Amino acid sequence: MSAPAPTLLADLGGTNVRFGIAHPDEDQPLISESIRRYHVKDYASLGDAARQYFKETGHEAQRAIIAAAGRIDNGETVKVTNNPWAISAKSLAKELNLEWVHLVNDFAAQSMAVMLMSPEKTVDDQGHTELVQVGKPAIPVIGAKEEQTFVVVGPGTGLGVGGLLIRGDKVSVLQTEGGHAGFAAHTAEDIEILKVLNLRYGRVSNERLICGAGLVNLYTAICEISGQKPDEAITPEDITKRAKDGTCAMCSRAVETFAGIFGSVAGDLVLTLGAWDGVYLTGGMIPVLLPWIQQGNFRERFEAKGRFRDTMENVPTQAIMNPEPGLVGGAALAIVEAGGSPLRR
C-alpha cells in the first residue's frame, strides 16, 4: 500500500493494448482523455509500446498496473495468452523507471471495474449505460450486503473468467483461467457441434466456442452439420454483420447458438463459484452481441440448471457496455493500492 500517485494502466489482450492514467485520489480516477490503443503486432514488447504512449501523450506515471490476458506467476511474470509478449514486473519497472509494476489477470481487473460503474451513466450515442440489465432480475447494488459473490465473464480474443468477492469492507478478486474449462454439451445441437469440434481439436474448451474465433468455429460446425458449404474466409465481424442484416441463415444460427451456449457457460460459473449475487458480461464482443443476448436463449439456458432453476431465475445478469472495463478496473486497483476503497465511492 502506498500514497496516491499517477499510475500507468495497461489492459493487454491478444490483439490490442490500451493505456490510460489513473489519479487514485480524484473523484473520476481514470483520466478519460489519457486513453490510447495500440496494436500488439506493431511493437516488440510492452515496454516499447508504453514508451510510445508516454511520448505521444506527454503523460507521466510513477507506477503501473498491468492487466494481462494470461496466468500471473507469483505476481511477477506473465506470458500473455494469444500474444507474443512475455512480461516481468521487475524488468518493466526498471525499463520504464517506475517505483513498481503490478501484474494482474485482465479479468481480475474487469471484476474490480464494476465498483466504479453505474447503470445511469450513458456511454454511447445509442443511449446505452455502463451496465445494461439482461433478464428480469434487477441489477444488484455493489456493497448492499455484507457478503456478495459475483462472476465476471466475457468473450473477446479469448474467453475470460473472473470472480468478485465482497466481504464487509474487504474486496477480493479471483484470477482464473475458467475459459479453458471443458465445454459441456446440453442440447442435441450442442452434442453435434461438440462432435465436429472434437474431431478438429481433440479436447474442446468453452473458449473454442465462446470468443471471436469460437464464433467462427460455431459457424463452420453448423454449416457442416447442415450440409452447407462455409465461407472459408469469414471473420467474426462478417458473421455478426450478416446475421444483423439477415443475409446469411447460417450466420444468424451461429450467433443465436453462441448466445445460448454463452448462457449455459455463465450459469455453470454461478453454480461453480456460488455467485448468487449476479453475473457481469463483459469483453469486446458484448456490445455487438447484446441484441441476441437480450432477445435470444441466453437467459433460458442460463436458468436451465435442473433442480437449481428456481434459484437461477433470481440471479441477475448485466452487460458491461463501458468500452474500457480493463482500464476502469485498473483504476479501482490503483485506489486500493493507495489505501482507499472503491466501495466507498
Side-chain angles (χ1 to χ4, degrees):
M1 192 177 296
S2 50
T7 304
L8 173 68
L9 309 175
D11 180 15
L12 177 56
T15 306
N16 300 305
V17 57
R18 292 171 170 83
F19 290 112
I21 298 292
H23 289 178
D25 51 352
E26 298 287 340
D27 289 339
Q28 298 294 328
L30 174 60
I31 309 305
S32 58
E33 60 269 21
S34 72
I35 298 172
R36 299 287 189 282
R37 184 182 71 171
Y38 299 86
H39 293 296
V40 167
K41 65 180 178 59
D42 294 338
Y43 299 90
S45 69
L46 178 60
D48 287 344
R51 280 193 294 272
Q52 182 65 25
Y53 169 77
F54 286 134
K55 180 181 178 181
E56 288 183 1
T57 65
H59 285 293
E60 297 180 349
Q62 293 177 229
R63 53 192 67 148
I65 295 174
I66 312 298
R71 183 177 180 275
I72 312 299
D73 291 323
N74 299 316
E76 291 294 331
T77 61
V78 60
K79 173 62 180 74
V80 184
T81 309
N82 304 315
N83 178 311
W85 295 347
I87 301 162
S88 161
K90 289 181 179 178
S91 297
L92 186 62
K94 183 177 181 181
E95 182 180 353
L96 298 178
N97 194 29
L98 301 172
E99 292 176 9
W100 47 253
V101 170
H102 287 178
L103 302 176
V104 299
N105 178 266
D106 60 335
F107 266 73
Q110 296 206 32
S111 298
M112 292 289 289
V114 299
M115 290 183 289
L116 296 181
M117 292 184 183
S118 166
E120 281 80 44
K121 183 179 177 182
T122 303
V123 294
D124 61 28
D125 55 10
Q126 299 177 41
H128 290 130
T129 55
E130 286 187 298
L131 299 173
V132 174
Q133 184 173 328
V134 176
K136 294 180 180 179
I139 293 177
V141 177
I142 297 288
K145 297 193 300 183
E146 188 70 14
E147 292 191 2
Q148 291 177 304
T149 303
F150 300 93
V151 163
V152 182
V153 57
T157 303
L159 176 63
V161 176
L164 175 65
L165 284 68
I166 297 172
R167 302 294 183 265
D169 289 336
K170 183 176 176 56
V171 178
S172 302
V173 293
L174 298 176
Q175 305 189 47
T176 88
E177 289 298 330
H180 296 281
F183 169 57
H186 294 287
T187 69
E189 182 182 52
D190 286 358
I191 292 169
E192 292 306 310
I193 290 169
L194 178 58
K195 288 179 180 177
V196 172
L197 297 183
N198 181 257
L199 289 173
R200 188 180 305 170
Y201 295 113
R203 179 182 183 272
V204 179
S205 68
N206 288 325
E207 187 173 88
R208 290 293 190 189
L209 297 93
I210 308 301
C211 68
L215 180 57
V216 176
N217 284 339
L218 277 173
Y219 162 80
T220 56
I222 288 169
C223 286
E224 181 173 330
I225 293 165
S226 303
Q228 302 291 318
K229 181 175 174 58
D231 178 350
E232 300 292 346
I234 204 165
T235 66
E237 293 78 12
D238 293 333
I239 295 171
T240 53
K241 182 179 185 302
R242 294 174 193 178
K244 182 179 179 181
D245 296 343
T247 57
C248 173
M250 293 296 100
C251 290
S252 295
R253 188 171 160 192
V255 175
E256 290 164 2
T257 302
F258 185 105
I261 293 174
F262 187 25
S264 286
V265 171
D268 286 346
L269 289 168
V270 170
L271 298 177
T272 302
L273 296 182
W276 314 119
D277 296 291
V279 177
Y280 291 92
L281 312 174
T282 187
M285 298 179 73
I286 293 300
V288 178
L289 294 172
L290 185 62
W292 290 280
I293 290 172
Q294 289 182 312
Q295 300 166 18
N297 289 326
F298 176 89
R299 274 300 304 196
E300 167 54 31
R301 291 193 55 166
F302 177 85
E303 296 169 3
K305 299 302 177 187
R307 288 168 288 178
F308 275 82
R309 176 182 278 276
D310 289 348
T311 301
M312 296 299 292
E313 286 176 350
N314 294 311
V315 177
T317 49
Q318 44 271 325
I320 295 177
M321 299 298 285
N322 185 303
E324 303 296 348
L327 295 181
V328 175
L333 288 166
I335 292 170
V336 174
E337 292 288 354
S341 171
L343 282 173
R344 292 194 286 269
R345 290 185 169 242

